[in-house]
Amino acid sequence: MQLIPPPMFVDYDILLACGLLIFWCGYWLVHISAICYGKFKLYRKPKPESSVQLIPSLVSLEHGLPRNNKKQYPGVSILKPLLGVDPNLFVNLSSYFQMKYPMYEVLICVVDQNDPAAMVANRLLEMYPSVDARLFLGGSQVGVNPKINNVHAAYQAAKYSLILISDSSIKMKKDTLSDMVDNMADDVAIVHQVPFTCDRIDNRSEPMTSPLSDTSTDPSLFLKLDGQVEYENQTCKQRRFVATLEKVFFGTAHARVYLTADLVGAICHTGMSTLLRKQAMDECGGLQAFANYLAEDYFMAKLVVARGWRTTISSRPALQNNGGSDLSKFQDRLRRWVKLRIAMVPHTIVLEPLSECLILGACAAWAANTLSGGSIDPYAFYMVHVLVWFLLDWILLNVMQNGPLPFTKFEYLVAWLYREFMGPYLFLTALLWRPSVVTWTTRQYRLRWGGLSEIYNQQPTSSSSDSITATVPIATTTSVTYDTTVPNNYCSTHQQQPTNGIGFTSKIKV
């Protein structure tokens, strides 16, 4: 008589608990790696010229030898896509005219000639006649992506082999471009900056009531309001909290993934400020090859890596210097990024929630309690998990800041807790509420699997209908009138008379 072996039952709870604890331990490695790599990579001091290893493709050679034994920097074409203005646009844009770099050009791109951003650009062109700079109006319709449509004509006209594309909200330090070029090795096609934020005025306890300098001639500073603007209605405490929240997010959760991805060579490219090798881009078909993707930065990096190039980060973070602090707009921005990631990399639906502190801690606490047969208190385990996560984020934030933070430890605690509770909520709402539709600038787009996108709504979104109408006559030798639509945060609270005799008058109707 043949005996039938009893069926083998698999304890799925044990398998799931083991898997969760392995993932939990692996994510602590991500924490430690981000801190160590950030400490190693960020804010590195440039080597003395005598010790710099010269790169043949980036130096001027004379009889096969480097000239004067000094590194010769290549020219860089800087593309600045603009759409509308905010109170910090003039400061941000002027930083590109003041960089310590031997040879570069600034190509400012504005789609609509009636956009007030064109007025700010023209003012800077007048102020810095020695800088090689041009204004491109009209753009090119090469695809769906509005940013690529805006800069495509300037990209075609760029005269240097390196292209820097930088968003309007990015403020550059004088040595940042040199640092980015230093990281452009022979096998590197993209050098990008880790997104971070400036120490904005919103982080201070008192409102700014005077211009940044006596020589500031930002045209937006001369506009007076007959009505109230959303940005001005916000209290200083509200703006301070949002500015603190942005710095905490980009200095912890965002920086952790960004630094670790660069360490292991994974593709994690945010195109806020990115230096491109034009040769590599042209091999991929130019910018127009990515014009049907909203997340063009990810697909740029993906394609150049597939062709044998590398990407790397600069040692200087990208300093976002937005002119307004709006909590709902910040949350909408994060939701848009969630939808884009899901469309491009679908497995993030599972991995992204598990990378959140509160969710991963709860899963790990259950797993530890299950595997220990109940001897480990899940509540104590969870509290220790949150505390250690909180402390490691504080260390990483200080690495990203590389100096004193513009807020107190208590403010950090409040912003950190808010972000950790907000993360799962934003992910869930992005997943459940129209997951394939995103709003960017004044249009809505439908996302397809694989990252392709199409215009969803031809009509402008409600954000543009709530804007302010401005008429700005400029008293110069020739009277010019701009009748345009200006975003709600166009005007700052500054009022100053021009220093060069050029007058600005305005009338804004709400």
Side-chain angles (χ1 to χ4, degrees):
M1 181 177 179
Q2 185 177 3
L3 297 177
I4 301 177
M8 297 181 62
F9 294 97
V10 179
D11 193 338
Y12 293 103
D13 287 349
I14 299 297
L15 290 178
L16 179 60
C18 290
L20 288 173
L21 276 184
I22 292 174
F23 184 85
W24 178 74
C25 293
Y27 209 79
W28 287 119
L29 183 60
V30 171
H31 274 275
I32 302 299
S33 300
I35 293 173
C36 295
Y37 187 64
K39 196 69 176 176
F40 164 77
K41 181 71 175 181
L42 299 180
Y43 304 102
R44 298 177 66 180
K45 294 182 180 180
K47 297 179 180 179
E49 290 183 348
S50 59
S51 63
V52 174
Q53 183 178 1
L54 301 175
I55 304 174
S57 63
L58 299 182
V59 299
S60 298
L61 298 179
E62 184 176 9
H63 304 296
L65 296 175
R67 186 176 302 167
N68 296 329
N69 197 30
K70 291 184 179 180
K71 182 172 181 177
Q72 305 295 316
Y73 283 94
V76 178
S77 297
I78 302 174
L79 277 55
K80 291 293 298 181
L82 305 182
L83 177 63
V85 297
D86 64 31
N88 288 343
L89 176 63
F90 182 84
V91 174
N92 296 338
L93 192 56
S94 63
S95 66
Y96 291 81
F97 289 79
Q98 303 169 10
M99 291 186 296
K100 292 182 179 179
Y101 193 82
M103 186 169 55
Y104 67 94
E105 63 175 347
V106 181
L107 308 180
I108 305 173
C109 308
V110 181
V111 173
D112 186 357
Q113 63 180 354
N114 292 323
D115 192 321
M119 180 180 67
V120 178
N122 280 318
R123 186 70 189 96
L124 286 167
L125 295 180
E126 295 174 2
M127 290 178 59
Y128 297 94
S130 61
V131 177
D132 185 3
R134 286 176 286 171
L135 174 61
F136 289 78
L137 296 174
S140 303
Q141 189 66 36
V142 295
V144 173
N145 189 302
K147 182 177 179 179
I148 291 183
N149 290 339
N150 194 356
V151 303
H152 183 261
Y155 175 85
Q156 295 290 93
K159 58 185 179 182
Y160 295 124
S161 60
L162 297 181
I163 307 292
L164 173 64
I165 302 179
S166 180
D167 291 351
S168 61
S169 62
I170 301 298
K171 181 180 178 181
M172 292 282 273
K173 291 188 176 181
K174 293 183 179 181
D175 62 342
T176 301
L177 184 55
S178 300
D179 178 79
M180 297 182 75
V181 174
D182 284 338
N183 286 276
M184 183 63 76
D186 284 341
D187 61 340
V188 173
I190 296 177
V191 177
H192 46 115
Q193 294 183 272
V194 180
F196 197 43
T197 63
C198 285
D199 294 341
R200 301 205 310 267
I201 186 63
D202 306 331
N203 285 126
R204 303 178 188 175
S205 58
E206 72 280 355
M208 181 166 57
T209 57
S210 60
L212 296 176
S213 66
D214 294 336
T215 59
S216 176
T217 53
D218 180 355
S220 66
L221 303 184
F222 310 127
L223 298 179
K224 297 180 181 180
L225 289 177
D226 296 330
Q228 292 182 332
V229 177
E230 178 183 358
Y231 179 75
E232 293 182 344
N233 283 336
Q234 293 178 336
T235 66
C236 184
K237 290 183 178 179
Q238 289 175 325
R239 298 197 302 269
R240 181 181 175 88
F241 172 74
V242 177
T244 301
L245 177 63
E246 290 179 353
K247 184 173 282 289
V248 169
F249 170 75
F250 285 105
T252 58
H254 197 275
R256 183 190 316 128
V257 177
Y258 212 95
L259 290 170
T260 306
D262 189 71
L263 174 62
V264 301
I267 297 176
C268 187
H269 175 214
T270 301
M272 295 180 188
S273 180
T274 179
L275 184 67
L276 307 172
R277 188 183 294 274
K278 198 169 189 291
Q279 173 191 347
M281 290 295 103
D282 291 340
E283 289 177 1
C284 298
L287 289 185
Q288 63 268 27
F290 309 97
N292 288 323
Y293 300 98
L294 287 185
E296 80 289 342
D297 43 13
Y298 171 81
F299 291 99
M300 284 180 186
K302 183 178 180 180
L303 190 53
V304 299
V305 168
R307 299 182 69 89
W309 297 93
R310 288 195 306 114
T311 68
T312 187
I313 63 172
S314 169
S315 68
R316 304 292 189 271
L319 299 178
Q320 301 175 80
N321 190 33
N322 298 314
S325 297
D326 189 293
L327 184 59
S328 62
K329 291 181 180 178
F330 177 63
Q331 293 176 342
D332 290 341
R333 185 185 185 191
L334 298 185
R335 287 192 186 95
R336 182 175 73 245
W337 288 354
V338 169
K339 294 178 181 181
L340 288 171
R341 287 193 295 269
I342 292 175
M344 296 183 302
V345 191
H347 64 259
T348 57
I349 295 178
V350 176
L351 295 181
E352 190 161 333
L354 286 178
S355 67
E356 294 290 344
C357 172
L358 302 182
I359 295 178
L360 181 58
C363 294
W366 170 83
N369 179 264
T370 300
L371 293 178
S372 65
S375 61
I376 295 179
D377 185 354
Y379 300 103
F381 185 99
Y382 187 77
M383 295 303 295
V384 172
H385 162 89
V386 173
L387 177 61
V388 176
W389 194 297
F390 171 82
L391 294 176
L392 291 179
D393 273 355
W394 171 256
I395 296 173
L396 180 58
L397 178 60
N398 279 271
V399 171
M400 289 291 297
Q401 179 73 6
N402 193 40
L405 290 165
F407 44 79
T408 64
K409 294 179 181 178
F410 177 74
E411 289 175 305
Y412 164 72
L413 171 63
V414 174
W416 186 87
L417 288 174
Y418 184 89
R419 199 230 71 85
E420 295 305 325
F421 280 100
M422 178 183 67
Y425 164 75
L426 292 180
F427 182 86
L428 184 62
T429 54
L431 190 63
L432 297 180
W433 176 250
R434 305 172 73 188
S436 63
V437 177
V438 299
T439 301
W440 189 22
T441 63
T442 60
R443 291 188 181 276
Q444 290 184 336
Y445 301 86
R446 182 183 295 278
L447 301 175
R448 301 295 184 186
W449 288 114
L452 288 171
S453 57
E454 60 187 24
I455 296 178
Y456 175 71
N457 185 2
Q458 294 287 346
Q459 299 297 326
T461 60
S462 60
S463 60
S464 61
S465 62
D466 296 334
S467 57
I468 301 171
T469 302
T471 302
V472 185
I474 305 179
T476 59
T477 56
T478 303
S479 178
V480 181
T481 300
Y482 291 87
D483 292 314
T484 184
T485 298
V486 185
N488 278 343
N489 60 356
Y490 173 54
C491 300
S492 69
T493 57
H494 308 283
Q495 295 180 5
Q496 172 185 322
Q497 295 301 320
T499 58
N500 59 355
I502 297 178
F504 291 87
T505 60
S506 64
K507 183 177 181 182
I508 298 181
K509 299 179 182 179
V510 178

